[in-house]
Amino acid sequence: MQHFPVFMAVKGRRIVVSGGGDAALAKLRLLLKTEARIEVYAPEAEPEVEHWAAEGRLSLYRRPIEAADLMGAVLAYGADEDDLLDARLAALATETRVPHNIVDNLEDSAFITPAIVDRDPVVVAIGTEGAAPVLARSIKADLEARLPSSLGLLTRVGRSFRQAAERLPFGRRRREFWAEYYASIGPQAHAKGGEQAVAPALAQLLADHLTASPSKGHVDFVGAGPGDPDLLTVRARRALDGADVVIHDRLVTPAILDLARREALIVDAGKEGFGPSTPQAEIDALIVRHARKGRHVVRLKAGDPTVFGRLDEEVEAVEAAGISFAIVPGITAASAAVAAIGQSLTRRGRNASVRLLTGHDVKGFADHDWKALARPGEVAAIYMGKRSARFVQGRLLMHGCDPETPVTVVENASRPEQRVLVTTVSQMEPMMSEARLDGPALTFIGLAPRAAQAAVRNLAQEAVS
Ligand code: SAH
């Protein structure tokens, strides 16, 4: 982001505009929506500007702008449509330290004016860093159509109830009240009875919510997928939107946590406050404790919560506490990793079953039916398989696996740092150790990347070197 959006306090403060032609007119139409004091400096001005001056909506000075005019102003616009005059304004503004905008000149401007959707006090500002004004206009048109014109009025009435609504407990119950007002009760009252019907409807709604029985907590066990926010389910996004508390794994990416409701409490159950790895019993207790306070808890787990996620222990704790819960499935690492290499997990004539294995469990390296796994054509996806690679390799070879059986490791599947390593059972160690895999990695036994194999191999080697 080269420009940071902010909303500036301009009430009663001075905004100066140099120029009185078309460019100035366009900016003035926007500026006149504010409660700032507008001053226009122009030897000649369009009749509309003269008209606004006569109405007292702005002050018009029929002369060029001077440094003294800029002193103490909050913003300055150079709208003379003349390079020399623009450069002069920029110099004066720099000298007097007033942020300036030269109309249609991104490079020489200290700030830019966004496209605006105005439902005062709800204001949406849209910017594209000057790169795509056409896109900004089409986004603006979409939003204009989506935001009801009564929104400004509803918000103003809502604002006058802010204090009264504080009688509802902070969090889910207060949020549900406001959501119902903006989504249904408010617009309905306005449509039926006009402006004066809105406040009584809101008062009634508040009374209803105050007498309703306090809501019980709820826990959603949500799959966050492999890391790319685009691979979240719609239901997962909805759960994140409504969460009071998000308790997440170490593997959940910041881009996904960013989607949680802004006010949500975010708890990292992988580390932080709990030492390097939080004991399972503590996580169970943490979930129950937050839900008991009547909160909507999202327990966010990497991939699919039902795959190597210790889900059952958490579900049992929640059930035992009499708290309602739901499981929202996610895309598991094996699905994302196999997509990355253009293969499928099962294939007619090759393998009619696929195994999801863990490299190690709580007791150490996990044991499996090695004999079955060593058979030609078998496909296995190994989770948490970095440290156990040599153990897996040894067991497979011991049970007669063809040393040339393909092995593919996908690190950081679906993320920008994704890497693919292509090897064989006989080579997987030392190759995997040498590759210094820092991110989560999934190992496929019996699968090589499709077609562009050679290219992928080069990539892997580059990444390793
Ligand atoms: N519930 C998760 C798995 C948790 S176990 C799921 O369904 O994916 C953690 C292991 O998952 C990691 O050690 C790694 O093997 C795998 N994993 C998770 N995210 C991954 C990713 N983006 N790329 C590769 N492997 C990943």
Side-chain angles (χ1 to χ4, degrees):
M1 234 192 266
Q2 292 176 9
H3 293 80
F4 184 69
V6 293
F7 286 92
M8 183 180 235
V10 295
K11 185 176 173 179
R13 302 171 84 179
R14 290 169 53 239
I15 298 180
V16 299
V17 177
S18 175
D22 286 342
L25 267 179
K27 290 298 173 225
L28 286 169
R29 280 195 194 98
L30 277 182
L31 294 172
L32 284 172
K33 290 171 184 270
T34 71
E35 293 176 42
R37 280 159 50 202
I38 314 293
E39 294 176 359
V40 178
Y41 295 83
E44 281 169 38
E46 289 289 324
E48 220 167 331
V49 181
E50 300 274 1
H51 179 68
W52 285 327
E55 278 186 330
R57 298 181 64 194
L58 52 77
S59 310
L60 174 60
Y61 301 89
R62 291 174 186 80
R63 59 170 173 80
I65 195 163
E66 300 300 337
D69 304 323
L70 282 142
M71 299 285 231
V74 285
L75 294 175
Y77 278 92
D80 290 286
E81 299 166 80
D82 175 293
D83 289 347
L84 282 178
L85 292 176
D86 286 346
R88 181 171 171 272
L89 187 275
L92 290 176
T94 309
E95 183 188 319
T96 50
R97 297 171 187 247
V98 179
H100 64 281
N101 171 270
I102 306 296
V103 176
D104 288 335
N105 182 342
L106 179 69
E107 254 159 46
D108 295 332
S109 294
F111 71 90
I112 49 183
T113 313
I116 290 170
V117 180
D118 176 21
R119 298 285 186 273
D120 187 41
V122 177
V123 177
V124 185
I126 304 152
T128 60
E129 309 253 17
V134 177
L135 176 64
R137 275 196 291 277
S138 93
I139 295 173
K140 175 177 151 80
D142 284 352
L143 288 173
E144 293 278 7
R146 249 183 68 180
L147 299 178
S149 54
S150 62
L151 191 65
L153 166 76
L154 294 181
T155 315
R156 282 193 295 278
V157 176
R159 187 154 61 185
S160 65
F161 271 75
R162 284 270 294 266
Q163 219 174 350
E166 277 171 21
R167 281 155 62 207
L168 285 167
F170 177 77
R172 183 169 168 190
R173 287 191 59 200
R174 204 181 293 169
R175 212 166 55 246
E176 280 171 357
F177 160 72
W178 286 119
E180 199 175 342
Y181 168 60
Y182 283 110
S184 57
I185 299 294
Q188 278 165 18
H190 183 255
K192 262 197 231 141
E195 191 168 337
Q196 63 275 31
V198 177
L202 184 52
Q204 184 57 50
L205 181 69
L206 181 58
D208 293 348
H209 276 254
L210 282 168
T211 49
S213 62
S215 52
K216 285 174 109 183
H218 174 83
V219 181
D220 282 322
F221 294 95
V222 177
D228 180 347
D230 277 359
L231 294 179
L232 278 170
T233 63
V234 174
R235 200 177 291 175
R237 289 208 62 155
R238 230 179 266 141
L240 283 170
D241 266 349
D244 297 312
V245 183
V246 177
I247 302 175
H248 68 92
D249 275 356
R250 193 173 42 88
L251 283 180
V252 174
T253 54
I256 287 176
L257 293 175
D258 272 354
L259 299 172
R261 207 166 60 81
R262 256 243 300 255
E263 297 77 17
L265 175 69
I266 311 276
V267 183
D268 182 345
K271 44 178 165 27
E272 223 168 73
F274 292 92
S277 103
T278 315
Q280 188 59 46
E282 269 182 43
I283 300 178
D284 301 348
L286 189 71
I287 297 170
V288 169
R289 198 162 70 237
H290 282 294
R292 276 222 176 100
K293 291 185 191 160
R295 292 176 174 161
H296 177 188
V297 177
V298 166
R299 172 66 175 122
L300 193 60
K301 290 167 172 289
D304 184 281
T306 73
V307 178
F308 303 127
R310 304 194 67 175
L311 177 67
D312 298 83
E313 290 151 80
E314 295 176 11
V315 166
E316 277 155 27
V318 166
E319 239 179 350
I323 296 159
S324 66
F325 72 91
I327 298 172
V328 180
I331 293 182
T332 190
S335 300
V338 82
I341 60 170
Q343 286 288 13
S344 57
L345 287 173
T346 60
R347 180 178 174 158
R348 205 149 70 137
R350 183 189 66 201
N351 63 315
S353 69
V354 61
R355 287 185 171 79
L356 306 185
L357 313 178
T358 170
H360 57 87
D361 55 26
V362 279
K363 289 188 237 97
F365 294 148
D367 229 334
H368 297 289
D369 183 354
W370 300 111
K371 205 165 158 214
L373 282 165
R375 281 198 298 258
E378 289 295 315
V379 172
I382 307 184
Y383 288 70
M384 296 171 279
K386 285 191 284 189
R387 273 188 294 146
S388 59
R390 191 167 290 286
F391 171 77
V392 170
Q393 177 185 45
R395 285 288 187 277
L396 286 173
L397 292 173
M398 204 158 99
H399 288 83
C401 179
D402 178 354
E404 292 310 303
T405 302
V407 171
T408 306
V409 182
V410 183
E411 184 193 23
N412 289 313
S414 88
R415 303 181 189 178
E417 326 77 89
Q418 174 175 295
R419 269 205 304 174
V420 177
L421 305 179
V422 182
T423 179
T424 58
V425 167
S426 66
Q427 300 295 313
M428 64 188 279
E429 277 302 339
M431 187 174 178
M432 280 176 68
S433 308
E434 283 164 6
R436 289 208 194 84
L437 303 158
D438 308 320
L442 192 110
T443 307
F444 286 118
I445 308 289
L447 277 186
R450 182 187 294 277
Q453 252 185 63
V456 175
R457 185 173 291 129
N458 288 339
L459 200 81
Q461 273 155 6
E462 265 167 45
V464 171
S465 59

